[in-house]
Amino acid sequence: MSVHASLDQIPVMGGLDDSPRGRVLRAAAHLFRHQGYERTTVRDLARLVGIQSGSLFHHFESKEAILVAVMEEAIRYNFSRIQDALARAQTPEQRLRALVFGELESILGPTGEAMAVLVYEWNALSPSSQQRVLKLRDEYEACWLGVLEELNKTGSIAHPPFFWRRLLSGAIAWTSNWYRPGRSLTLQGLTDMVMAMAVPKQDC
Amino acid sequence: MSVHASLDQIPVMGGLDDSPRGRVLRAAAHLFRHQGYERTTVRDLARLVGIQSGSLFHHFESKEAILVAVMEEAIRYNFSRIQDALARAQTPEQRLRALVFGELESILGPTGEAMAVLVYEWNALSPSSQQRVLKLRDEYEACWLGVLEELNKTGSIAHPPFFWRRLLSGAIAWTSNWYRPGRSLTLQGLTDMVMAMAVPKQDC
Amino acid sequence: MSVHASLDQIPVMGGLDDSPRGRVLRAAAHLFRHQGYERTTVRDLARLVGIQSGSLFHHFESKEAILVAVMEEAIRYNFSRIQDALARAQTPEQRLRALVFGELESILGPTGEAMAVLVYEWNALSPSSQQRVLKLRDEYEACWLGVLEELNKTGSIAHPPFFWRRLLSGAIAWTSNWYRPGRSLTLQGLTDMVMAMAVPKQDC
Amino acid sequence: MSVHASLDQIPVMGGLDDSPRGRVLRAAAHLFRHQGYERTTVRDLARLVGIQSGSLFHHFESKEAILVAVMEEAIRYNFSRIQDALARAQTPEQRLRALVFGELESILGPTGEAMAVLVYEWNALSPSSQQRVLKLRDEYEACWLGVLEELNKTGSIAHPPFFWRRLLSGAIAWTSNWYRPGRSLTLQGLTDMVMAMAVPKQDC
DNA sequence: AATGAATGAGCTTTCATTCAT
DNA sequence: CATGAATGAAAGCTCATTCAT
């Protein structure tokens, strides 16, 4: 939760190697998450990476490009992971669980900082960058909608999938603000709770 | 969703009169919400209020003091409204509905922008300001916990109230990003949906 | 030496009554001396006087006018006191002593703060204000020169009166930075020391 | 005496090379002396140096840091020069003359502006900066006291060295306000005059 | 006379970005 | 590729002065 002084203490963000580019993105996700994008200077970022601020601009066109890359990398990496899991699931409810678990993992695991940046620094993006990122996001949301519609048809979910997804989305995203792993609640337990919200069991 | 050019187009934020102070806070809630705190300059703010930037500092000590005031005003106003509603409710479930509806109103009604600022600009606050605002928030959260514990004891809620509240909190807070009034979904309808998440009906 | 919070703790500056004007000048001498003219705001000044900052401008045209008044008042008051003492002195050496003692009094007594302001804030004055104050100063300096020339002619002073005066002037002015009354050194003792510098006794 | 428009017209301050840092300090000494510290803007300073105002902050942390550096540089440079001269002097009286001449040189020579800033802008320093500079000053004053005590013991000086030094200090410091080189009075002649004050000859 | 909100120019400082080395 | 000095626009904030009350 606190801001670290060395990159080594920051979890290796999923899918990012130790290339300069990867190191910058990891540091950026961390700082943007904990200090905010505007309050993070390129000097802060360079210091954490261990280079000079001018050198950042050999790897990225601008500070905003770094923000965009953090967001895109996070979406892409998690989307592909979740698609794999989806492919392995066999029932609609298993698919929903895969989505819930996958989204929780993306938010609470190694890509958590990047995902939080995606939420909290959304309007630091220029309109055109928002467009770019939105495209990726829409693909991903379409998955959710597909699964929820299946469940809606079978009667497991009573409410309009679009709205229901958004409520769940909020519940899941917010976990980054309170959930701490290694406590009484495991990621599986948390998934159970969210599933209990998503698909109320009417077991009589 | 877009940023307005005149204060008159901004909803009168609950509890704020037309005094200079009130006008500044309304404008600030609007701009901080849509541009972010850091990207809003005191000149932007002054322009929207219709005064000179220097004049802001007759009413507030600093830009951050404005942010704090926006947050505190919103919490205080909504908390008192919700306490009134709570007092009128008679069953635990009615009390929960009062909380859910009240929180949705605070987020989607006239204080919505201020409430979003509370969420999204939290770490623009200095540590000491966070402390101050946290105190107010804690009082409010205690209400929720009390009601959820009642429902937990009667068996209406199966999961630990503390975690359950946080999931609901996220689901509700997120509505500011997608719910638009006057569409197919009314505030009451939305409340029904959140209640369906919060207290799964096991009617068989 | 420290900056006071109430006018009552500041010595009544010679010649200034308790009129608003007098109160302002006393407060100004104090603050300008200890904080500097530029670092003293009109609000600081008003607070110490016990009025609002806008009200200062009913008594003085501008902040600089207050500075000028502090200086002029100090010169005028001390000049007339010193002229009286000069008139009572009968030998050239007595006259010199009157000048030395009078100047030390002006710097170390109730008008000390104002006199220090005269020295240290000289180039806070606009050129035209410098002219005005310089005129008063020149009259006063003419007295000194007259007396020193007398002593030069009698052989008591070997060096050119003009230069000699300037060296003495510096020695005396500087006492405001180190002399504290009520210690081992009285004002008379200090006068003796300065006289020893001014008129080296060749008693064999 | 007037404020110059180009750095080339300002005497090279002792010990300062043509590095950016040195150029800033020379310009600062000049402007702080003639306009006062508060009335000198960083833009004034940057313009005289020939850089942009933002660039100043690559070399110094703040405007005050520039003021401190001007003072420290002046003290250090002159102190070492004076210590060298002291080492070459053989009698107490020669040592005093070395001190007087050295101090006059520091005030009237290339470091004169910086030395005047040291006197006139003393309370523009924050308390902690005053502490820092005071430490250097104290070392220097200890030299003076040592020499004056020698002379006091031999009877050349009748008055307490501590007080005597302060009177001399004022007389010497003040020369910056009236002495102009190249006139009828040389620096050696001025030194003679100050020595005549400091050690009255009782030649009978 | 006194008030105190408002002004608006100007202050120091910050910072993403550039570019000669 | 990396550096780090330099840029210059823009930020938050200050403050002497004005003026309707």
Side-chain angles (χ1 to χ4, degrees), chain A residues 158-187:
Chain A
H159 298 274
F162 178 86
F163 297 147
W164 203 244
R165 160 56 180 155
R166 266 155 185 66
L167 289 176
L168 291 173
S169 180
I172 294 170
W174 192 249
T175 58
S176 73
N177 290 318
W178 59 270
Y179 177 78
R180 294 292 159 260
R183 299 274 178 90
S184 54
L185 188 60
T186 65
L187 211 56

Side-chain angles (χ1 to χ4, degrees), chain A residues 37-147:
Chain A
Y37 170 74
E38 297 287 353
R39 285 177 295 280
T40 300
T41 69
V42 293
R43 276 183 174 78
D44 288 341
L45 187 47
R47 191 181 318 121
L48 188 53
V49 175
I51 59 176
Q52 292 295 322
S53 66
S55 306
L56 283 175
F57 294 88
H58 287 285
H59 302 288
F60 296 92
E61 226 185 15
S62 66
K63 190 186 173 192
E64 203 211 339
I66 299 176
L67 178 60
V68 173
V70 165
M71 292 179 173
E72 287 192 346
E73 212 72 52
I75 297 183
R76 253 191 257 279
Y77 174 77
N78 286 303
F79 189 22
S80 96
R81 241 181 3 88
I82 287 173
Q83 276 179 316
D84 292 350
L86 265 186
R88 283 190 302 272
Q90 283 152 0
T91 67
E93 187 152 335
Q94 278 178 359
R95 275 194 282 283
L96 179 60
R97 191 180 175 88
L99 285 172
V100 169
F101 183 75
E103 193 160 307
L104 283 168
E105 257 188 324
S106 75
I107 282 165
L108 303 172
T111 63
E113 291 177 335
M115 293 300 289
V117 168
L118 181 58
V119 170
Y120 285 97
E121 301 297 345
W122 181 254
N123 47 28
L125 294 178
S126 67
S128 70
S129 299
Q130 287 190 346
Q131 284 290 331
R132 266 186 68 181
V133 180
L134 222 41
K135 236 180 216 166
L136 290 176
R137 222 185 213 192
D138 285 346
E139 279 185 73
Y140 172 65
E141 288 299 323
C143 277
W144 269 87
L145 234 36
V147 172

